[in-house]
Structure formats: structure tokens, C-alpha cells
Amino acid sequence: MLGIDDPYVLMAYLGAISMSVIGIIYGLVRRNAARDEVTPEDRLWALDEKKVDDDF
């Protein structure tokens, strides 16, 4: 099949392709699953980082 004589090599190619497809599908399904909440702690950290950057 497709000039590949060894079935293990064919399984490796099909496995790599299938894992790539599974990874893409998983990424598309989960791309918006993360919460986008900014906590007061995050705000304080951002202000501290801005202050440090401004000091340089």
C-alpha cells in the first residue's frame, strides 16, 4: 500500500497523522475553555510590573 512494504512503518505513519488530527481537534474544542477572569491579585501584579518597567 502506497509503496510501504512494512506494516509497522505504515502504522507509524498513520499513528503520527492521527495524533496530529486528534491534537488539532482537541485544540479547537478547548480553545475557549479557559476562564478569563482578572483577580485583584492579578491587577496588583500588573501594576507592580508596570512600575518596574517604568523605573528602567
Side-chain angles (χ1 to χ4, degrees):
M1 180 191 296
L2 301 175
I4 301 172
D5 295 329
D6 192 7
Y8 293 111
V9 173
L10 180 62
M11 286 189 327
Y13 280 119
L14 293 177
I17 292 169
S18 64
M19 290 306 294
S20 298
V21 170
I22 289 170
I24 291 170
I25 291 171
Y26 179 78
L28 290 174
V29 168
R30 300 280 301 176
R31 68 180 168 187
N32 292 328
R35 294 182 302 178
D36 236 1
E37 298 175 6
V38 178
T39 63
E41 183 179 309
D42 293 335
R43 290 182 196 274
L44 289 175
W45 178 82
L47 289 172
D48 289 341
E49 285 293 314
K50 183 171 176 20
K51 182 180 175 187
V52 168
D53 286 342
D54 289 343
D55 289 343
F56 280 126

Short mmCIF file of all heavy atoms in Angstrom, two decimals:
data_model
loop_
_atom_site.label_atom_id
_atom_site.label_comp_id
_atom_site.label_asym_id
_atom_site.label_seq_id
_atom_site.Cartn_x
_atom_site.Cartn_y
_atom_site.Cartn_z
N MET A 1 0.84 -1.17 0.00
CA MET A 1 0.00 0.00 0.00
C MET A 1 0.89 1.24 0.00
O MET A 1 1.74 1.39 0.87
CB MET A 1 -0.89 -0.01 1.25
CG MET A 1 -1.79 1.20 1.31
SD MET A 1 -2.64 1.45 2.86
CE MET A 1 -3.67 0.07 2.97
N LEU A 2 0.72 2.09 -0.97
CA LEU A 2 1.48 3.34 -1.10
C LEU A 2 2.99 3.11 -1.17
O LEU A 2 3.76 3.99 -0.84
CB LEU A 2 1.15 4.29 0.06
CG LEU A 2 -0.30 4.70 0.21
CD1 LEU A 2 -0.48 5.54 1.46
CD2 LEU A 2 -0.79 5.47 -1.00
N GLY A 3 3.41 1.93 -1.53
CA GLY A 3 4.82 1.64 -1.66
C GLY A 3 5.51 1.37 -0.34
O GLY A 3 6.73 1.34 -0.28
N ILE A 4 4.77 1.19 0.72
CA ILE A 4 5.34 0.90 2.03
C ILE A 4 5.16 -0.59 2.29
O ILE A 4 4.05 -1.08 2.45
CB ILE A 4 4.65 1.74 3.13
CG1 ILE A 4 4.82 3.23 2.82
CG2 ILE A 4 5.23 1.41 4.49
CD1 ILE A 4 4.02 4.13 3.74
N ASP A 5 6.27 -1.31 2.32
CA ASP A 5 6.22 -2.77 2.46
C ASP A 5 6.00 -3.22 3.90
O ASP A 5 5.35 -4.24 4.14
CB ASP A 5 7.52 -3.39 1.94
CG ASP A 5 7.67 -3.16 0.44
OD1 ASP A 5 6.64 -3.08 -0.24
OD2 ASP A 5 8.81 -3.06 -0.02
N ASP A 6 6.54 -2.50 4.84
CA ASP A 6 6.49 -2.92 6.24
C ASP A 6 5.23 -2.38 6.91
O ASP A 6 4.99 -1.17 6.92
CB ASP A 6 7.73 -2.40 6.97
CG ASP A 6 7.91 -3.02 8.34
OD1 ASP A 6 7.16 -3.94 8.68
OD2 ASP A 6 8.83 -2.57 9.05
N PRO A 7 4.41 -3.25 7.49
CA PRO A 7 3.18 -2.77 8.12
C PRO A 7 3.44 -1.91 9.36
O PRO A 7 2.64 -1.04 9.70
CB PRO A 7 2.43 -4.04 8.51
CG PRO A 7 3.43 -5.11 8.49
CD PRO A 7 4.50 -4.71 7.54
N TYR A 8 4.57 -2.10 10.03
CA TYR A 8 4.89 -1.29 11.20
C TYR A 8 5.21 0.15 10.80
O TYR A 8 4.88 1.08 11.53
CB TYR A 8 6.04 -1.91 11.98
CG TYR A 8 5.66 -3.24 12.61
CD1 TYR A 8 6.22 -4.42 12.16
CD2 TYR A 8 4.73 -3.29 13.64
CE1 TYR A 8 5.87 -5.63 12.73
CE2 TYR A 8 4.37 -4.49 14.22
CZ TYR A 8 4.94 -5.65 13.76
OH TYR A 8 4.58 -6.85 14.32
N VAL A 9 5.86 0.32 9.68
CA VAL A 9 6.14 1.66 9.19
C VAL A 9 4.83 2.35 8.81
O VAL A 9 4.61 3.52 9.12
CB VAL A 9 7.11 1.62 7.98
CG1 VAL A 9 7.27 2.99 7.37
CG2 VAL A 9 8.45 1.05 8.41
N LEU A 10 3.94 1.62 8.18
CA LEU A 10 2.63 2.16 7.82
C LEU A 10 1.85 2.56 9.08
O LEU A 10 1.24 3.63 9.13
CB LEU A 10 1.83 1.14 7.01
CG LEU A 10 0.44 1.59 6.57
CD1 LEU A 10 0.52 2.79 5.65
CD2 LEU A 10 -0.28 0.44 5.89
N MET A 11 1.90 1.71 10.11
CA MET A 11 1.22 2.04 11.37
C MET A 11 1.83 3.30 12.01
O MET A 11 1.11 4.11 12.59
CB MET A 11 1.29 0.87 12.34
CG MET A 11 0.38 -0.27 11.96
SD MET A 11 0.20 -1.60 13.19
CE MET A 11 1.76 -1.71 13.99
N ALA A 12 3.14 3.45 11.89
CA ALA A 12 3.80 4.64 12.45
C ALA A 12 3.33 5.90 11.72
O ALA A 12 3.03 6.92 12.35
CB ALA A 12 5.31 4.50 12.37
N TYR A 13 3.26 5.85 10.39
CA TYR A 13 2.78 7.00 9.62
C TYR A 13 1.33 7.31 9.96
O TYR A 13 0.98 8.47 10.20
CB TYR A 13 2.89 6.73 8.11
CG TYR A 13 4.27 6.94 7.55
CD1 TYR A 13 4.96 5.89 6.95
CD2 TYR A 13 4.88 8.18 7.59
CE1 TYR A 13 6.22 6.07 6.42
CE2 TYR A 13 6.14 8.37 7.07
CZ TYR A 13 6.81 7.31 6.48
OH TYR A 13 8.05 7.49 5.96
N LEU A 14 0.49 6.31 9.99
CA LEU A 14 -0.92 6.53 10.31
C LEU A 14 -1.09 7.02 11.75
O LEU A 14 -1.95 7.85 12.03
CB LEU A 14 -1.72 5.26 10.07
CG LEU A 14 -1.84 4.82 8.61
CD1 LEU A 14 -2.60 3.50 8.52
CD2 LEU A 14 -2.49 5.88 7.76
N GLY A 15 -0.28 6.52 12.65
CA GLY A 15 -0.33 6.97 14.03
C GLY A 15 0.06 8.44 14.17
O GLY A 15 -0.57 9.19 14.91
N ALA A 16 1.11 8.83 13.46
CA ALA A 16 1.54 10.23 13.51
C ALA A 16 0.47 11.16 12.94
O ALA A 16 0.18 12.21 13.50
CB ALA A 16 2.86 10.41 12.76
N ILE A 17 -0.11 10.76 11.83
CA ILE A 17 -1.16 11.58 11.21
C ILE A 17 -2.39 11.64 12.11
O ILE A 17 -2.96 12.72 12.32
CB ILE A 17 -1.50 11.04 9.81
CG1 ILE A 17 -0.31 11.26 8.87
CG2 ILE A 17 -2.75 11.70 9.26
CD1 ILE A 17 -0.43 10.55 7.55
N SER A 18 -2.78 10.51 12.67
CA SER A 18 -3.97 10.50 13.53
C SER A 18 -3.75 11.31 14.80
O SER A 18 -4.66 12.02 15.25
CB SER A 18 -4.40 9.08 13.85
OG SER A 18 -3.41 8.44 14.61
N MET A 19 -2.57 11.26 15.38
CA MET A 19 -2.30 12.06 16.58
C MET A 19 -2.29 13.54 16.25
O MET A 19 -2.73 14.37 17.06
CB MET A 19 -0.97 11.64 17.21
CG MET A 19 -1.03 10.27 17.86
SD MET A 19 -2.36 10.08 19.07
CE MET A 19 -1.84 11.20 20.32
N SER A 20 -1.84 13.91 15.07
CA SER A 20 -1.89 15.32 14.66
C SER A 20 -3.33 15.79 14.53
O SER A 20 -3.70 16.88 14.98
CB SER A 20 -1.17 15.51 13.34
OG SER A 20 0.19 15.18 13.46
N VAL A 21 -4.16 14.96 13.92
CA VAL A 21 -5.57 15.32 13.76
C VAL A 21 -6.26 15.41 15.12
O VAL A 21 -7.03 16.34 15.38
CB VAL A 21 -6.28 14.29 12.84
CG1 VAL A 21 -7.78 14.49 12.85
CG2 VAL A 21 -5.74 14.40 11.42
N ILE A 22 -5.97 14.47 16.00
CA ILE A 22 -6.56 14.50 17.34
C ILE A 22 -6.11 15.75 18.09
O ILE A 22 -6.92 16.40 18.77
CB ILE A 22 -6.19 13.22 18.11
CG1 ILE A 22 -6.94 12.03 17.53
CG2 ILE A 22 -6.50 13.36 19.61
CD1 ILE A 22 -6.48 10.70 18.06
N GLY A 23 -4.86 16.12 17.98
CA GLY A 23 -4.35 17.33 18.64
C GLY A 23 -5.02 18.59 18.12
O GLY A 23 -5.35 19.49 18.89
N ILE A 24 -5.22 18.67 16.82
CA ILE A 24 -5.89 19.84 16.24
C ILE A 24 -7.34 19.91 16.70
O ILE A 24 -7.82 20.99 17.09
CB ILE A 24 -5.78 19.79 14.70
CG1 ILE A 24 -4.34 20.04 14.28
CG2 ILE A 24 -6.72 20.81 14.06
CD1 ILE A 24 -4.08 19.77 12.82
N ILE A 25 -8.03 18.80 16.69
CA ILE A 25 -9.43 18.78 17.12
C ILE A 25 -9.52 19.14 18.60
O ILE A 25 -10.37 19.95 19.00
CB ILE A 25 -10.07 17.41 16.84
CG1 ILE A 25 -10.22 17.21 15.33
CG2 ILE A 25 -11.41 17.28 17.54
CD1 ILE A 25 -10.64 15.82 14.93
N TYR A 26 -8.65 18.60 19.42
CA TYR A 26 -8.66 18.91 20.85
C TYR A 26 -8.41 20.41 21.07
O TYR A 26 -9.06 21.04 21.91
CB TYR A 26 -7.59 18.09 21.56
CG TYR A 26 -7.51 18.35 23.04
CD1 TYR A 26 -8.43 17.80 23.91
CD2 TYR A 26 -6.52 19.17 23.58
CE1 TYR A 26 -8.37 18.03 25.27
CE2 TYR A 26 -6.45 19.42 24.93
CZ TYR A 26 -7.38 18.86 25.76
OH TYR A 26 -7.31 19.10 27.10
N GLY A 27 -7.47 20.98 20.34
CA GLY A 27 -7.19 22.40 20.46
C GLY A 27 -8.37 23.26 20.05
O GLY A 27 -8.66 24.28 20.68
N LEU A 28 -9.06 22.88 18.99
CA LEU A 28 -10.23 23.64 18.56
C LEU A 28 -11.37 23.56 19.56
O LEU A 28 -12.08 24.54 19.80
CB LEU A 28 -10.70 23.14 17.19
CG LEU A 28 -9.78 23.48 16.02
CD1 LEU A 28 -10.27 22.80 14.75
CD2 LEU A 28 -9.68 24.97 15.82
N VAL A 29 -11.55 22.40 20.16
CA VAL A 29 -12.63 22.23 21.13
C VAL A 29 -12.33 22.99 22.42
O VAL A 29 -13.21 23.62 23.01
CB VAL A 29 -12.87 20.73 21.42
CG1 VAL A 29 -13.77 20.52 22.61
CG2 VAL A 29 -13.43 20.05 20.19
N ARG A 30 -11.09 22.96 22.88
CA ARG A 30 -10.73 23.54 24.18
C ARG A 30 -10.20 24.96 24.12
O ARG A 30 -9.81 25.50 25.15
CB ARG A 30 -9.65 22.67 24.83
CG ARG A 30 -10.04 21.24 25.09
CD ARG A 30 -10.86 21.09 26.29
NE ARG A 30 -10.09 21.61 27.41
CZ ARG A 30 -10.54 21.69 28.64
NH1 ARG A 30 -11.74 21.30 28.91
NH2 ARG A 30 -9.81 22.19 29.60
N ARG A 31 -10.19 25.60 22.97
CA ARG A 31 -9.54 26.91 22.85
C ARG A 31 -10.19 27.99 23.68
O ARG A 31 -9.54 28.92 24.12
CB ARG A 31 -9.44 27.34 21.40
CG ARG A 31 -10.77 27.67 20.77
CD ARG A 31 -10.61 28.09 19.35
NE ARG A 31 -11.91 28.11 18.71
CZ ARG A 31 -12.10 28.30 17.46
NH1 ARG A 31 -11.05 28.48 16.70
NH2 ARG A 31 -13.29 28.31 16.95
N ASN A 32 -11.48 27.92 23.91
CA ASN A 32 -12.16 28.94 24.70
C ASN A 32 -12.59 28.42 26.07
O ASN A 32 -13.46 29.01 26.71
CB ASN A 32 -13.40 29.43 23.94
CG ASN A 32 -13.01 30.21 22.71
OD1 ASN A 32 -11.99 30.88 22.68
ND2 ASN A 32 -13.82 30.11 21.68
N ALA A 33 -12.01 27.36 26.54
CA ALA A 33 -12.42 26.75 27.80
C ALA A 33 -11.81 27.46 29.02
O ALA A 33 -12.34 27.33 30.11
CB ALA A 33 -12.03 25.28 27.83
N ALA A 34 -10.74 28.20 28.83
CA ALA A 34 -10.09 28.85 29.97
C ALA A 34 -10.90 30.06 30.44
O ALA A 34 -11.46 30.80 29.65
CB ALA A 34 -8.68 29.28 29.59
N ARG A 35 -10.94 30.23 31.75
CA ARG A 35 -11.63 31.38 32.30
C ARG A 35 -10.81 32.64 32.05
O ARG A 35 -9.59 32.62 32.09
CB ARG A 35 -11.84 31.21 33.80
CG ARG A 35 -12.77 30.08 34.13
CD ARG A 35 -12.97 29.99 35.60
NE ARG A 35 -11.65 29.81 36.25
CZ ARG A 35 -11.48 29.73 37.55
NH1 ARG A 35 -12.49 29.83 38.35
NH2 ARG A 35 -10.28 29.56 38.06
N ASP A 36 -11.48 33.73 31.80
CA ASP A 36 -10.81 34.99 31.53
C ASP A 36 -11.14 36.00 32.62
O ASP A 36 -11.62 37.09 32.36
CB ASP A 36 -11.26 35.53 30.17
CG ASP A 36 -10.11 35.79 29.25
OD1 ASP A 36 -8.98 35.54 29.65
OD2 ASP A 36 -10.36 36.24 28.13
N GLU A 37 -10.91 35.62 33.86
CA GLU A 37 -11.22 36.47 34.99
C GLU A 37 -9.94 37.10 35.50
O GLU A 37 -8.91 36.45 35.64
CB GLU A 37 -11.87 35.65 36.09
CG GLU A 37 -13.19 35.04 35.69
CD GLU A 37 -13.76 34.13 36.76
OE1 GLU A 37 -13.17 34.07 37.87
OE2 GLU A 37 -14.77 33.50 36.49
N VAL A 38 -10.03 38.39 35.80
CA VAL A 38 -8.89 39.10 36.36
C VAL A 38 -9.18 39.34 37.84
O VAL A 38 -10.14 40.00 38.20
CB VAL A 38 -8.67 40.45 35.63
CG1 VAL A 38 -7.51 41.20 36.25
CG2 VAL A 38 -8.42 40.22 34.15
N THR A 39 -8.32 38.78 38.66
CA THR A 39 -8.50 38.91 40.10
C THR A 39 -7.79 40.17 40.60
O THR A 39 -6.93 40.72 39.91
CB THR A 39 -7.94 37.68 40.83
OG1 THR A 39 -6.53 37.62 40.59
CG2 THR A 39 -8.60 36.39 40.35
N PRO A 40 -8.13 40.64 41.78
CA PRO A 40 -7.42 41.79 42.34
C PRO A 40 -5.92 41.53 42.48
O PRO A 40 -5.11 42.44 42.31
CB PRO A 40 -8.07 41.97 43.72
CG PRO A 40 -9.43 41.38 43.58
CD PRO A 40 -9.28 40.25 42.61
N GLU A 41 -5.56 40.28 42.74
CA GLU A 41 -4.14 39.94 42.83
C GLU A 41 -3.44 40.12 41.48
O GLU A 41 -2.31 40.60 41.42
CB GLU A 41 -4.01 38.49 43.30
CG GLU A 41 -2.59 38.03 43.50
CD GLU A 41 -2.52 36.61 43.99
OE1 GLU A 41 -3.20 36.30 44.99
OE2 GLU A 41 -1.79 35.82 43.37
N ASP A 42 -4.14 39.76 40.41
CA ASP A 42 -3.58 39.96 39.06
C ASP A 42 -3.40 41.45 38.77
O ASP A 42 -2.41 41.85 38.15
CB ASP A 42 -4.50 39.35 38.01
CG ASP A 42 -4.56 37.84 38.08
OD1 ASP A 42 -3.59 37.23 38.59
OD2 ASP A 42 -5.58 37.27 37.63
N ARG A 43 -4.35 42.25 39.17
CA ARG A 43 -4.24 43.70 38.95
C ARG A 43 -3.04 44.29 39.70
O ARG A 43 -2.30 45.10 39.15
CB ARG A 43 -5.52 44.40 39.40
CG ARG A 43 -6.70 44.11 38.53
CD ARG A 43 -7.92 44.89 39.01
NE ARG A 43 -9.14 44.36 38.46
CZ ARG A 43 -9.64 44.71 37.29
NH1 ARG A 43 -9.01 45.59 36.55
NH2 ARG A 43 -10.77 44.19 36.86
N LEU A 44 -2.86 43.87 40.95
CA LEU A 44 -1.71 44.36 41.73
C LEU A 44 -0.40 43.94 41.09
O LEU A 44 0.56 44.72 41.03
CB LEU A 44 -1.79 43.86 43.17
CG LEU A 44 -2.89 44.49 44.03
CD1 LEU A 44 -2.93 43.81 45.39
CD2 LEU A 44 -2.65 45.98 44.18
N TRP A 45 -0.35 42.70 40.61
CA TRP A 45 0.87 42.23 39.95
C TRP A 45 1.15 43.05 38.70
O TRP A 45 2.30 43.44 38.45
CB TRP A 45 0.71 40.75 39.58
CG TRP A 45 1.89 40.20 38.87
CD1 TRP A 45 3.05 39.75 39.41
CD2 TRP A 45 2.05 40.08 37.45
NE1 TRP A 45 3.91 39.34 38.43
CE2 TRP A 45 3.32 39.54 37.21
CE3 TRP A 45 1.24 40.37 36.37
CZ2 TRP A 45 3.78 39.30 35.93
CZ3 TRP A 45 1.72 40.11 35.10
CH2 TRP A 45 2.97 39.59 34.90
N ALA A 46 0.12 43.35 37.91
CA ALA A 46 0.30 44.14 36.69
C ALA A 46 0.77 45.55 37.02
O ALA A 46 1.64 46.11 36.32
CB ALA A 46 -1.00 44.18 35.90
N LEU A 47 0.23 46.14 38.07
CA LEU A 47 0.67 47.48 38.47
C LEU A 47 2.13 47.48 38.92
O LEU A 47 2.90 48.39 38.60
CB LEU A 47 -0.23 48.03 39.57
CG LEU A 47 -1.65 48.41 39.14
CD1 LEU A 47 -2.48 48.76 40.36
CD2 LEU A 47 -1.61 49.57 38.15
N ASP A 48 2.51 46.44 39.68
CA ASP A 48 3.91 46.33 40.11
C ASP A 48 4.84 46.15 38.92
O ASP A 48 5.93 46.76 38.86
CB ASP A 48 4.09 45.16 41.08
CG ASP A 48 3.47 45.44 42.44
OD1 ASP A 48 3.24 46.63 42.75
OD2 ASP A 48 3.22 44.46 43.18
N GLU A 49 4.44 45.34 37.96
CA GLU A 49 5.26 45.14 36.76
C GLU A 49 5.40 46.44 35.96
O GLU A 49 6.46 46.76 35.45
CB GLU A 49 4.64 44.06 35.87
CG GLU A 49 4.85 42.66 36.38
CD GLU A 49 6.31 42.24 36.35
OE1 GLU A 49 6.99 42.47 35.33
OE2 GLU A 49 6.76 41.70 37.37
N LYS A 50 4.32 47.19 35.85
CA LYS A 50 4.37 48.46 35.13
C LYS A 50 5.30 49.43 35.83
O LYS A 50 6.08 50.13 35.20
CB LYS A 50 2.97 49.05 35.01
CG LYS A 50 2.90 50.33 34.22
CD LYS A 50 1.49 50.74 33.97
CE LYS A 50 1.29 52.03 33.28
NZ LYS A 50 2.32 52.62 32.53
N LYS A 51 5.26 49.44 37.17
CA LYS A 51 6.13 50.32 37.92
C LYS A 51 7.60 49.96 37.71
O LYS A 51 8.44 50.82 37.52
CB LYS A 51 5.78 50.23 39.41
CG LYS A 51 6.59 51.15 40.28
CD LYS A 51 6.19 51.01 41.73
CE LYS A 51 7.10 51.86 42.58
NZ LYS A 51 6.88 51.65 44.00
N VAL A 52 7.89 48.66 37.71
CA VAL A 52 9.27 48.20 37.49
C VAL A 52 9.73 48.58 36.08
O VAL A 52 10.85 49.04 35.88
CB VAL A 52 9.38 46.68 37.74
CG1 VAL A 52 10.71 46.15 37.24
CG2 VAL A 52 9.19 46.38 39.20
N ASP A 53 8.85 48.38 35.10
CA ASP A 53 9.20 48.73 33.72
C ASP A 53 9.42 50.23 33.56
O ASP A 53 10.31 50.66 32.81
CB ASP A 53 8.12 48.27 32.75
CG ASP A 53 8.12 46.76 32.53
OD1 ASP A 53 9.15 46.14 32.85
OD2 ASP A 53 7.10 46.23 32.03
N ASP A 54 8.63 51.02 34.24
CA ASP A 54 8.78 52.47 34.14
C ASP A 54 10.07 52.95 34.80
O ASP A 54 10.66 53.95 34.38
CB ASP A 54 7.57 53.18 34.77
CG ASP A 54 6.31 53.02 33.94
OD1 ASP A 54 6.43 52.66 32.75
OD2 ASP A 54 5.21 53.24 34.49
N ASP A 55 10.53 52.23 35.83
CA ASP A 55 11.76 52.61 36.51
C ASP A 55 12.98 52.38 35.63
O ASP A 55 14.00 53.05 35.80
CB ASP A 55 11.89 51.84 37.82
CG ASP A 55 10.92 52.31 38.87
OD1 ASP A 55 10.35 53.42 38.72
OD2 ASP A 55 10.70 51.57 39.86
N PHE A 56 12.89 51.45 34.72
CA PHE A 56 14.03 51.20 33.83
C PHE A 56 14.05 52.29 32.82
O PHE A 56 14.79 52.74 32.18
CB PHE A 56 13.92 49.85 33.12
CG PHE A 56 14.35 48.70 33.98
CD1 PHE A 56 13.50 47.62 34.18
CD2 PHE A 56 15.57 48.67 34.60
CE1 PHE A 56 13.88 46.55 34.97
CE2 PHE A 56 15.96 47.61 35.38
CZ PHE A 56 15.11 46.54 35.56
#
